[in-house]
């Protein structure tokens, strides 16, 4: 099963919001709708979407103000924002992009164009989510459904082991030091002892089993690497 990207539509005109939502649904997205800044903030506090479509002219706070605020907030700063607006002149486009919007689309727009822009910002921000599934040898990881299989058999991983494996698979064949893994997997705002990395690598290998576990190599004095070399290279698709 593919990851269905969530799209928050912030738009005060129900007819336009509904039209966008229907088209998004037909094209494999999960749209939610907020008609003003207050309900948009509630939606964001509950669930982070993959993309925000933000109307410029809203009752209460403008889309521009919201874009600035969401860009500045730690929780929302990396969620792509596409501004929707009836204004098409260059001054406004610049103001929108300066406020932190990733892209800008002027009404009236074609659904095709909107979908293309949404896919483009998703690809730019989260390349691993655009395809959903990463394959290395017989190992397959689906970041949309949190399923990992080896040779078609489902592996049971804890959340940290999943993140660790995801990072190693999307950066395979390269050696990563323990401190690099701490930064990338746990985040650089968290204090984690490097020993903790060894504990999770050990758990990950155990969860992967004897054959797949060998794919994670210890590189003496440096760190770890995920490699296809030591395992049979047979890709096996994840069955939904
Ligand atoms: Ca409006």
């Amino acid at each position: 099963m593919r990851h269905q990207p969530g799209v928050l539509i912030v738009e005060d005109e129900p007819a336009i919001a509904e039209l966008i939502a229907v088209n998004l649904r037909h094209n494999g997205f999960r749209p939610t709708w907020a008609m003003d800044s207050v309900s948009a903030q509630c939606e964001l506090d509950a669930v982070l979407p993959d993309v925000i479509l933000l109307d410029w002219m809203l009752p209460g706070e403008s889309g521009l103000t919201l874009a600035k605020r969401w860009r500045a907030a730690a929780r929302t700063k990396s969620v792509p924002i596409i501004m929707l607006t009836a204004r098409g002149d260059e001054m406004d486009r610049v103001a929108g992009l300066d406020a932190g919007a990733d892209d800008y689309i002027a009404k009236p727009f074609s659904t095709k164009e909107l979908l293309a822009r949404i896919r483009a910002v998703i690809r730019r921000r989260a390349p691993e989510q655009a395809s959903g599934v990463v394959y290395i040898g017989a190992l397959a990881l689906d970041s949309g459904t949190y399923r990992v299989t080896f040779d078609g058999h489902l592996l049971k991983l804890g959340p940290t082991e999943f993140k660790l494996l995801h990072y190693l698979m999307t950066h395979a064949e390269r050696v990563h030091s323990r401190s690099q893994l701490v930064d990338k997997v746990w985040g650089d705002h968290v204090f984690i002892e490097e020993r903790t990395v060894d504990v999770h690598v050990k758990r990950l290998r155990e969860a992967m089993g004897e054959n797949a576990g060998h794919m994670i190599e210890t590189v003496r004095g440096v760190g770890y690497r995920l490699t296809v070399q030591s395992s049979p290279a047979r890709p096996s698709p994840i069955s939904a």
Side-chain angles (χ1 to χ4, degrees):
M1 203 179 114
R2 283 189 54 146
H3 170 67
Q4 286 191 301
V7 181
L8 174 62
I9 306 164
V10 188
E11 165 65 74
D12 58 312
E13 287 160 76
I16 295 176
E18 182 59 27
L19 184 70
I20 295 173
V22 165
N23 279 293
L24 288 178
R25 229 172 270 128
H26 282 167
N27 286 279
F29 294 91
R30 269 180 302 107
T32 46
W33 174 38
M35 63 186 309
D36 56 35
S37 60
V38 177
S39 48
Q41 190 64 55
C42 286
E43 288 289 341
L44 287 180
D45 291 342
V47 182
L48 277 188
D50 294 275
V51 181
I52 301 171
L53 296 183
L54 179 58
D55 186 30
W56 186 299
M57 299 293 280
L58 291 166
E61 284 177 295
S62 74
L64 202 62
T65 310
L66 290 175
K68 277 184 195 158
R69 191 202 301 153
W70 292 336
R71 248 332 142 249
R75 181 173 158 78
T76 47
K77 72 174 179 212
S78 59
V79 181
I81 298 174
I82 300 176
M83 299 281 304
L84 303 176
T85 178
R87 308 166 170 216
D89 67 58
E90 199 179 349
M91 281 297 284
D92 289 331
R93 202 153 57 229
V94 170
L97 296 174
D98 278 351
D102 293 79
D103 204 349
Y104 184 102
I105 187 162
K107 293 175 188 170
F109 46 81
S110 76
T111 312
K112 243 182 161 172
E113 188 183 359
L114 180 65
L115 289 168
R117 302 279 185 105
I118 292 174
R119 291 191 179 112
V121 292
I122 290 178
R123 267 198 306 276
R124 283 209 295 273
R125 284 294 169 105
E128 74 278 9
Q129 280 190 356
S131 72
V133 186
V134 192
Y135 300 98
I136 303 286
L139 198 60
L141 177 147
D142 188 331
S143 52
T145 58
Y146 285 89
R147 285 163 65 93
V148 180
T149 58
F150 181 74
D151 220 1
H153 299 286
L154 192 64
L155 305 180
K156 283 200 156 186
L157 305 184
T160 304
E161 286 73 37
F162 183 90
K163 279 182 78 176
L164 181 59
L165 182 61
H166 183 258
Y167 184 75
L168 291 172
M169 285 180 74
T170 49
H171 302 81
E173 307 297 339
R174 272 187 263 167
V175 185
H176 306 279
S177 71
R178 288 168 179 79
S179 69
Q180 281 171 332
L181 290 173
V182 167
D183 278 3
K184 300 297 181 185
V185 176
W186 282 265
D188 51 13
H189 54 289
V190 187
F191 180 76
I192 296 285
E193 284 187 69
E194 294 189 0
R195 240 169 350 130
T196 308
V197 176
D198 300 335
V199 172
H200 286 281
V201 167
K202 184 167 179 281
R203 277 191 206 157
L204 177 57
R205 281 183 178 140
E206 282 167 6
M208 288 167 76
E210 203 173 332
N211 291 327
H214 286 141
M215 293 176 77
I216 301 176
E217 290 183 348
T218 304
V219 181
R220 198 174 289 273
V222 188
Y224 294 102
R225 155 171 68 196
L226 182 96
T227 177
V228 77
Q229 303 303 325
S230 52
S231 105
R234 253 187 305 149
S236 64
I238 289 177
S239 49

